[in-house]
Amino acid sequence: MAEHHTAAFVRTEILPEQAPPVSEAGIIRWMRENLFSGPLNTVLTFVGLFIIYFVLKEYSPWLRHSVWNAGSVGECRDIVTAKYGEGATGACWAIIRDRWNMFMFGFYPRELYWRPTLALGLLIFAAAPVLFSESRLIRMWVLGVVSVFLMVAFPGLDVPNGDTALLAVVLVGMLALAWMRPWSLLWLTAVYPGLAVWMLWGGSAWGPTLAMAGFVIGWLAWLATRSFGTILSVGAAVLAPVLWWLFGMAPVQALLDASLPAAIEGVRSEKFGGFVLAVTIGVAGIVLSLPMGVVLALARRSDMFLIKGLAVGFIEFIRGVPLISLLFVASLLLNYFLPPGTNFDIILRVIIMVTMFAAAYIAEVVRGGLAALPRGQYEAADSLGLDYWKAQRLIILPQALKISIPGIVSTFIGLFKDTTLVVFVGLLDPLKGITDSVRASFEWKGAYWEPYIFVGCIFFIFNFSMSRYSMYLERRLQRDHE
Amino acid sequence: MKKSLFFGTLTAAGMVAGFAAAGTLEDVVARGELNCGVNTGLVGFAAPDANGNWSGFDVAICKAVAAAVLGDPNKVKYVPTSGQTRFTALASSEIDVLARNSTWTFTRDVDLKLDFVGVNYYDGQGFMVPKALGVSSAKELDGATICIQTGTTTELNLADFFKANNMTYSPIAIDSNAEGEQQYLAGACDAYTTDASGLAATRAAFATPSDHIILPEIISKEPLGPLVRHGDNQWGDIVRWTLNALIAAEEYGITSANLEELSKGSSNPEIDRLLGTSGDLGPMFGLDNLWAKRAIAASGNYGEIFAATIGESTPIGLARGLNAQWTQGGLLYTPPFR
């Protein structure tokens, strides 16, 4: 074989690199691999292309002929006809422009629009230390965007310049805190529920304050009775706030209102509508249902028969009935039982029902997470001598909740979308309630797709953000090394 | 916590539920506000504007009752109700009066334990078809697909009409008027049926109204009126006679323009009794003597309300037809005020 090495045609240097064949590189390769990899895929690709072409052909003129400035559907049609000729169709987005306030705020008093807006902005600040605790960069980005949004929105909502300046100072202060000592923002998180209720519904500041004080009273009761044993102290911690809310609060509030009035203009629940309503119910439902769901999940896995039975009964009952029937119970059936003249706020009723509904689902999702944990984790917790609550708090739940994140966020997204169902109990949700009442005026009768598309887009923004956040959270909590 | 509060309230509520039946007037006065059930949105009958101020033909009834009882037509809380929830909302005391283009039928009056206090609009069910369909009578609709709103009397009337005429149809169930229009315009159904007033408004809002015709047949009687709960006759009387006062005011020529002048005294004793210049009709059902004057002042007499909300000068353009005074060949006829 050796003599072959001396043959003249043996190459002595390496060939220069050549570009890969056309069919194996770039877009063509990608298309060959993904779109035309076999007869079935080729056919499906062409079917898909045809559908896209058909949709674009049908709807792109409609979108391209959009009208943004008009006083009625009829005017929209006239403009489209004048511009694009007889028989042309065009989207009439002027309905959104004209009734933007109704879609966003329902019938909330116009001069008070800043209150729900500020409540939403502060919600992000209150949530920041919890949601974005690890990355300062992301935290500052999110809060910065929210601050800019508030600073732009406030003058647009006819807020006096002095108040906008005050807001700017507060925002800068909170941004500085978020930069240097994010955990101090937890104080805002703690008072936020009361603050949000006060901002949204207005009225006396003492109502929400004293209601929140109930939790402090519960904590104090627990501290005071701790030495008498767990059962007694837990009982006191539950009983004391309930007694406070039922009997103690009203006289104290009357006294404080008389001596130290601190009230802003009240807004009643039927004025709520549109996205203010959807976000109010959605956020309250999300915030309340997570702890309730976790407790239910733990209760369902408990060894105590009564606790377990109650949890199973509750979860299976709630999951067994449609949300609409619960809402009907809240709005109509309750009135048969409540004394006439009782004012049990309809939004509060709906929030309670939505919370119970979501909590039952979250309980099952969390139970799935608990069941997925290897038994060794429970045994490890026991072997460390941790009691039940410490074991749950330090070892079990952090892992179980991490496993459950996708399911929990799915439930939250579902809950937020389900807020549109409140239309069936006479509340003006953005999708159907507001849309129908906008269309009930003669100017906008006949506009069909535009409001739905608009509301759909806003819902998409909210839900997509939630979904992306959950993916970020999953990455952040990745503790195993792959 | 929430649960215990909730069930505690329920138990407490059960004990006092027995007193719920009577005293709507006292409740309304104590509350200082009338809870009035209205449509979630029906062109001309009930619609909120961009600021949340409701107006419309049915809304005017709410305003008149609030003006008569509370002295202020704006002291109304409008509760939007859907076709499915409206009667339950009334029966459960969520609302005091329902003014939501509801048809007076036997079962609703008797079986649902509600009281229709009168008729504010005589409607009837009609059909709209595209001109291109070449149909000129509802009798020619054999085999047609028809868009029909669920949960309404129109659904039942349609079945009756086709059965009586030995014809068949395939229904397309829709949920709201807007959806019906969309389906009809998209060609999903040959004909769209609902109350003739609704058809007129729908057709007027089309891009080319002249391409569509409303067939001459009216296949049902749809007397629409406000209603209250069964069993509180005093409250029922107040709503009934407030409606009657609006109708009588038109008959006697009392308008919002000459109301002040006529209430100083007139040559017609019936006007004097109605406006409280003489007699004491109001105190008989627990109101003062100026109740009817305030009700008329709220948005004018029946004719003025009609003209301002759904009449021929509005885009909806409904003629008075059956809803004219009996003296004009219509059906509006109020019992005397004495």
Side-chain angles (χ1 to χ4, degrees):
Chain A
M1 297 289 278
E3 63 269 30
H4 284 286
H5 284 281
T6 59
F9 55 83
V10 170
R11 205 180 284 285
T12 53
E13 79 276 12
I14 201 159
L15 271 177
E17 274 184 27
Q18 285 190 340
V22 175
S23 60
E24 284 299 326
I27 182 83
I28 295 189
R29 176 181 175 190
W30 183 87
M31 280 168 61
R32 269 169 61 104
E33 280 183 358
N34 292 289
L35 299 177
F36 304 104
S37 63
L40 179 66
N41 266 0
T42 309
V43 170
L44 285 178
T45 299
F46 280 113
V47 170
L49 281 178
F50 177 74
I51 291 175
I52 292 173
Y53 166 76
F54 179 78
V55 169
L56 282 181
K57 181 173 155 290
E58 283 295 301
Y59 295 105
S60 73
W62 185 75
L63 278 176
R64 270 188 287 117
H65 298 169
S66 293
V67 176
W68 290 90
N69 270 313
S72 70
V73 172
E75 266 182 48
C76 272
R77 287 181 187 137
D78 292 343
I79 293 172
V80 170
T81 312
K83 265 194 184 164
Y84 305 103
E86 200 65 44
T89 55
C92 186
W93 302 108
I95 181 176
I96 309 296
R97 196 187 158 98
D98 187 57
R99 296 298 180 99
W100 166 267
N101 287 336
M102 243 172 109
F103 279 106
M104 286 296 143
F105 298 96
F107 300 137
Y108 210 87
R110 184 155 296 201
E111 67 279 8
L112 301 179
Y113 280 172
W114 63 272
R115 271 167 33 184
T117 314
L118 184 61
L120 180 65
L122 288 180
L123 169 69
I124 312 289
F125 273 93
V130 184
L131 296 186
F132 307 106
S133 57
E134 284 199 357
S135 161
R136 177 186 282 173
L137 184 70
I138 296 179
R139 186 169 64 235
M140 295 315 290
W141 258 108
V142 170
L143 295 184
V145 168
V146 171
S147 306
V148 170
F149 162 76
L150 282 178
M151 290 313 295
V152 173
F154 258 51
L157 296 172
D158 299 330
V159 177
N161 287 336
D163 293 353
T164 311
L166 184 67
L167 174 76
V169 173
V170 173
L171 285 180
V172 167
M174 287 199 300
L175 283 174
L177 276 182
W179 175 266
M180 290 179 298
R181 301 179 53 199
W183 292 108
S184 58
L185 276 179
L186 275 177
W187 282 106
L188 177 67
T189 316
V191 299
Y192 182 78
L195 185 66
V197 167
W198 188 50
M199 300 234 78
L200 287 171
W201 278 274
S204 166
W206 294 115
T209 312
L210 293 176
M212 295 283 287
F215 293 104
V216 180
I217 288 176
W219 180 63
L220 288 177
W222 182 73
L223 280 186
T225 53
R226 197 166 42 166
S227 51
F228 299 108
T230 314
I231 297 178
L232 199 68
S233 62
V234 169
V238 172
L239 197 64
V242 170
L243 285 176
W244 165 252
W245 282 317
L246 284 182
F247 305 109
M249 216 178 100
V252 176
Q253 190 185 341
L255 192 71
L256 282 171
D257 278 337
S259 51
L260 267 174
I264 53 175
E265 189 180 341
V267 178
R268 297 189 321 179
S269 284
E270 74 262 16
K271 299 280 180 198
F272 283 58
F275 281 101
V276 166
L277 179 71
V279 173
T280 303
I281 296 175
V283 169
I286 285 172
V287 170
L288 295 172
S289 65
L290 183 59
M292 190 172 164
V294 171
V295 169
L296 278 172
L298 292 178
R300 188 164 185 172
R301 286 174 67 87
S302 163
D303 297 329
M304 288 181 269
F305 175 74
L306 190 63
I307 303 246
K308 183 176 177 165
L310 282 175
V312 171
F314 179 86
I315 293 171
E316 295 305 332
F317 171 73
I318 297 283
R319 290 207 309 165
V321 293
L323 178 56
I324 292 195
S325 61
L326 289 178
L327 292 177
F328 275 137
V329 167
S331 89
L332 300 171
L333 205 56
L334 271 186
N335 277 44
Y336 285 109
F337 301 113
L338 294 176
T342 320
N343 186 18
F344 190 1
D345 190 274
I346 179 77
I347 294 185
L348 179 61
R349 289 190 247 171
V350 166
I351 287 177
I352 292 173
M353 287 300 181
V354 167
T355 303
M356 296 203 311
F357 190 77
Y361 281 84
I362 288 190
E364 288 299 281
V365 170
V366 173
R367 192 169 68 96
L370 290 170
L373 270 196
R375 201 175 154 68
Q377 296 292 325
Y378 291 88
E379 286 164 354
D382 288 343
S383 70
L384 286 174
L386 299 176
D387 68 13
Y388 177 78
W389 290 110
K390 276 193 182 139
Q392 297 299 335
R393 187 162 58 86
L394 298 172
I395 294 186
I396 309 299
L397 278 180
Q399 300 183 72
L401 287 178
K402 192 191 104 187
I403 299 172
S404 319
I405 287 173
I408 291 177
V409 175
S410 286
T411 311
F412 285 165
I413 289 179
L415 182 157
F416 188 56
K417 289 191 290 189
D418 282 349
T419 57
T420 53
L421 290 177
V422 299
V423 69
F424 292 104
V425 295
L427 292 173
L428 291 168
D429 81 298
L431 187 67
K432 190 156 159 55
I434 291 287
T435 301
D436 273 359
S437 50
V438 167
R439 276 197 294 241
S441 64
F442 194 79
E443 301 93 73
W444 301 117
K445 190 175 167 62
Y448 188 73
W449 294 110
E450 294 88 343
Y452 288 152
I453 293 174
F454 166 72
V455 173
C457 286
I458 304 265
F459 267 104
F460 180 80
I461 292 172
F462 276 108
N463 291 334
F464 189 65
S465 315
M466 273 197 261
S467 158
R468 298 304 297 188
Y469 175 75
S470 99
M471 289 166 74
Y472 154 77
L473 199 61
E474 277 174 61
R475 276 199 311 278
R476 202 189 82 187
L477 295 178
Q478 192 99 42
R479 289 289 185 268
D480 44 356
H481 304 283
E482 286 173 355
Chain B
M1 176 287 297
K2 283 230 156 80
K3 257 196 311 186
S4 55
L5 183 68
F6 183 71
F7 289 120
T9 326
L10 268 188
T11 332
M15 293 186 283
V16 274
F19 301 100
T24 311
L25 176 63
E26 285 80 8
D27 289 348
V28 173
V29 172
R31 202 188 305 133
E33 184 178 61
L34 176 76
N35 291 340
C36 195
V38 292
N39 201 309
T40 47
L42 179 64
V43 173
F45 284 83
D49 68 6
N51 296 319
N53 300 316
W54 288 78
S55 63
F57 189 71
D58 280 336
V59 169
I61 300 286
C62 305
K63 287 186 175 168
V65 173
V69 174
L70 300 166
D72 183 349
N74 296 319
K75 285 189 176 165
V76 185
K77 175 179 155 191
Y78 296 99
V79 181
T81 54
S82 69
Q84 288 85 12
T85 59
R86 51 184 164 176
F87 300 122
T88 328
L90 181 61
S92 66
S93 306
E94 178 96 18
I95 53 180
D96 305 311
V97 55
L98 179 68
R100 190 200 177 277
N101 56 302
S102 304
T103 307
W104 188 348
T105 67
F106 183 93
T107 44
R108 284 176 182 177
D109 201 341
V110 177
D111 196 32
L112 290 183
K113 301 261 184 296
L114 304 172
D115 276 351
F116 283 82
V117 298
V119 176
N120 67 337
Y121 190 87
Y122 289 94
D123 213 335
Q125 186 178 347
F127 295 92
M128 177 163 60
V129 292
K131 225 172 213 169
L133 197 64
V135 170
S136 59
S137 158
K139 300 263 171 70
E140 298 167 26
L141 284 175
D142 196 9
T145 48
I146 297 179
C147 283
I148 176 90
Q149 229 166 311
T150 52
T152 61
T153 49
T154 52
E155 201 179 8
L156 311 170
N157 299 331
L158 185 71
D160 286 354
F161 175 76
F162 274 75
K163 201 172 162 197
N165 288 293
N166 262 329
M167 302 194 297
T168 57
Y169 68 102
S170 21
I172 305 241
I174 53 160
D175 177 58
S176 67
N177 199 32
E179 198 193 326
E181 287 167 36
Q182 187 60 26
Q183 297 276 22
Y184 171 76
L185 284 178
C189 43
D190 302 321
Y192 179 39
T193 181
T194 186
D195 291 347
S197 62
L199 285 183
T202 299
R203 181 171 171 269
F206 281 168
T208 48
S210 52
D211 287 353
H212 305 271
I213 52 171
I214 294 174
L215 299 177
E217 282 88 352
I218 297 291
I219 64 166
S220 71
K221 291 184 287 185
E222 305 282 345
L224 312 179
L227 54 161
V228 297
R229 266 183 305 283
H230 207 73
D232 186 351
N233 293 5
Q234 183 194 19
W235 179 248
D237 286 342
I238 289 173
V239 181
R240 173 179 301 112
W241 286 93
T242 304
L243 173 63
N244 285 345
L246 298 179
I247 297 173
E250 188 192 17
E251 186 182 343
Y252 302 142
I254 307 171
T255 66
S256 36
N258 63 13
L259 179 66
E260 283 303 325
E261 192 192 331
L262 285 175
S263 61
K264 291 195 184 92
S266 72
S267 54
N268 184 339
E270 184 121 6
I271 293 182
D272 289 347
R273 280 195 297 275
L274 178 60
L275 297 182
T277 322
S278 68
D280 51 355
L281 294 183
M284 290 181 195
F285 54 27
L287 300 181
D288 64 2
N289 236 345
L290 297 176
W291 64 280
K293 183 187 165 190
R294 288 194 304 266
I296 298 164
S299 6
N301 66 32
Y302 181 90
E304 289 175 280
I305 294 169
F306 194 102
T309 53
I310 53 178
E312 282 174 325
S313 60
T314 65
I316 302 160
L318 291 173
R320 285 297 287 271
L322 288 178
N323 298 293
Q325 294 285 338
W326 63 284
T327 48
Q328 314 277 322
L331 290 177
L332 293 184
Y333 184 99
T334 163
F337 279 80
R338 67 168 64 249

